[in-house]
Amino acid sequence: MSHRVLIIGSGPAAHTAAIYAARAELSPVLFEGFMAGGVAAGGQLTTTTDVENFPGFPEGIMGPDLTDRFRAQSERFGTTIHTETVNEIDFSSRPFRFKADAQEGSADSVIIATGATAKRLEIPGAGDGELWQKGISACAVCDGALPAFRDQPLVVIGGGDSAVEVASFLTKYGSTVYIVHRRDELRASKIMQQRALDNPKIEMLWSSVVTQAKGTDFLEAVRVKDLKTGEERNLPAAGLFFAIGHTPNTAFLNGQIDTDEQDYIVTKPDSTQTNIPGVFAAGDVQDKQWRQAITAAGSGCMAALEVEHFLAANP
Ligand code: FAD
Ligand code: NDP
């Protein structure tokens, strides 16, 4: 199949691009991914609870409900959505040829909005075949309600918004939730920090790192090192949650698009244009600074408008 606009991704950037491209009568086709990068179609917001800072929802909205609405709005204006991952794409000539899980095709223009995936900490005991998914997770919303975590001590690693949000969420289930952070101040926004610091079930372990996950069939303890004193100790824990940031989903591009040293796509200033004419990037895959649903949506809008101009000039 040949398309005017191919949109790869399924978060706020991809769907905003789709809404704008569909309303511009460009008949966009959107590949939303099938557990691409380990995240469900809909992207990172499917892994969270209340979203309180997306305009239009004064009472807040659950992350998965917001992504369902994005999708419904894309479809309403005529976007064709496939629940497949794009695995390969060839940017050497236009139209750009691509291969997805069950089909292949070509497109005159491409918007890459594949977002980012939660990082895992590589420490002894936490790998696949060890205690990963046996008390260790990078998605508290997905796994936090497991019976094994009820009224047990839980550990969250990180110091950003995700870490404090995850910790606050886990207080519904755990007895105490420890936030282990490698520095002595949080990176999280002030309002989110305050909520965590005021929560009597959350305990901060400042300037500390987890060096090992311990247990036989399920997590039983983590080894925590105080970076200031050098002292190490075992901290009993039934759950360990990583909230240490994200990796952009750019591996499938196979080095054809310019990226920075952390693999984020580089776009031209004040633009979503990549180094390949006709290929645009929007959302967290090209943004390591703001990384919000609303900024992803904003850049998705920019990408669709830029595609419209590009196709008018390059039919
Ligand atoms: P993403 O949401 O990352 O989605 C991209 C998706 O594209 C992927 O997940 C995958 O499903 C799909 N995909 C990837 N590769 C491919 C491929 N090759 N083919 C097809 N599909 C593919 N922001 C806020 O503004 N407010 C909040 O309250 C908030 N809470 C958050 C809570 C958590 C726990 C996290 C992790 C993030 C939160 N954020 C929040 C940040 C927000 O979720 C992101 O900034 C936003 O989702 C980024 O959108 P995106 O469109 O760039 O991509
Ligand atoms: P961030 O990159 O903001 O924070 C990652 C945290 O993990 C940092 O505190 C970092 O420490 C720590 N870290 C990184 N690597 C390691 C490591 N190897 N060992 C130990 N600690 C490590 O990621 P987030 O996922 O928290 O946030 C991503 C984006 O999503 C942000 O823009 C955030 O605002 C947004 N978001 C918004 C929410 C909201 O508004 N409700 C909720 C959740 C996320 P250090 O600080 O020392 O670098």
Side-chain angles (χ1 to χ4, degrees):
M1 279 283 283
S2 179
H3 309 283
R4 294 289 275 156
V5 188
L6 166 68
I7 300 171
I8 313 173
S10 50
H15 282 297
T16 306
I19 292 161
Y20 275 77
R23 285 170 55 83
E25 299 186 343
L26 293 171
S27 308
V29 59
L30 182 151
F31 282 74
E32 65 180 354
F34 182 76
M35 292 308 290
V39 182
Q44 294 171 61
L45 291 175
T46 62
T47 70
T48 193
T49 50
D50 294 283
V51 177
E52 296 178 334
N53 50 13
F54 199 87
F57 301 94
E59 312 303 328
I61 180 166
M62 299 299 275
D65 294 344
L66 185 56
T67 62
D68 285 350
R69 284 169 174 256
F70 293 152
R71 196 179 191 279
Q73 200 168 346
S74 293
E75 283 193 311
R76 177 184 161 206
F77 291 107
T79 304
T80 303
I81 300 178
H82 297 288
T83 309
E84 288 180 50
T85 299
V86 173
N87 299 306
E88 281 177 45
I89 188 151
D90 179 0
F91 289 123
S92 59
S93 62
R94 260 184 93 221
F96 308 114
R97 296 206 55 79
F98 67 91
K99 284 187 187 163
D101 290 338
Q103 59 184 297
E104 49 188 84
S106 65
D108 294 328
S109 63
V110 178
I111 297 174
I112 303 164
T114 47
T117 297
K119 281 185 196 163
R120 283 167 58 176
L121 196 61
E122 288 174 20
I123 48 170
D128 293 318
E130 295 181 296
L131 295 168
W132 174 249
Q133 292 298 327
K134 293 176 187 160
I136 306 182
S137 162
C139 181
V141 175
C142 321
D143 302 327
L146 284 179
F149 298 142
R150 298 285 162 120
D151 300 318
Q152 297 295 320
L154 306 174
V155 172
V156 175
I157 304 179
D161 280 324
S162 294
V164 294
E165 185 178 74
V166 158
S168 301
F169 171 73
L170 289 173
T171 57
K172 281 200 279 191
Y173 308 110
S175 52
T176 301
V177 180
Y178 299 94
I179 298 181
V180 180
H181 183 37
R182 62 186 178 182
R183 292 188 294 131
D184 56 10
E185 62 174 354
L186 293 167
R187 176 184 294 277
S189 56
K190 291 286 176 266
I191 186 169
M192 306 271 288
Q193 288 196 23
Q194 208 50 51
R195 264 183 223 167
L197 297 173
D198 290 346
N199 190 322
K201 287 179 89 177
I202 294 180
E203 197 172 308
M204 294 299 310
L205 301 183
W206 300 107
S207 304
S208 298
V209 290
V210 171
T211 56
Q212 192 183 351
K214 302 178 89 163
T216 38
D217 296 327
F218 205 84
L219 185 76
E220 289 161 23
V222 294
R223 193 138 181 90
V224 179
K225 180 175 184 182
D226 184 317
L227 294 174
K228 288 203 167 148
T229 62
E231 184 195 322
E232 285 203 40
R233 64 177 166 127
N234 287 338
L235 180 69
L240 173 62
F241 295 85
F242 299 141
I244 57 168
H246 292 78
T247 306
N249 293 318
T250 49
F252 77 107
L253 300 170
N254 225 358
Q256 298 172 88
I257 300 283
D258 284 352
T259 53
D260 68 9
E261 67 290 346
Q262 289 166 276
D263 298 328
Y264 285 85
I265 293 178
V266 176
T267 51
K268 299 202 167 133
D270 300 324
S271 166
T272 60
Q273 208 180 310
T274 68
N275 59 307
I276 309 265
V279 182
F280 302 83
D284 283 15
V285 75
Q286 53 84 55
D287 171 17
K288 63 180 173 203
Q289 186 175 5
W290 309 112
R291 294 179 295 176
Q292 300 296 305
I294 193 68
T295 49
S299 67
C301 162
M302 282 170 65
L305 295 176
E306 290 192 277
V307 158
E308 199 181 344
H309 289 140
F310 174 82
L311 290 176
N314 303 273

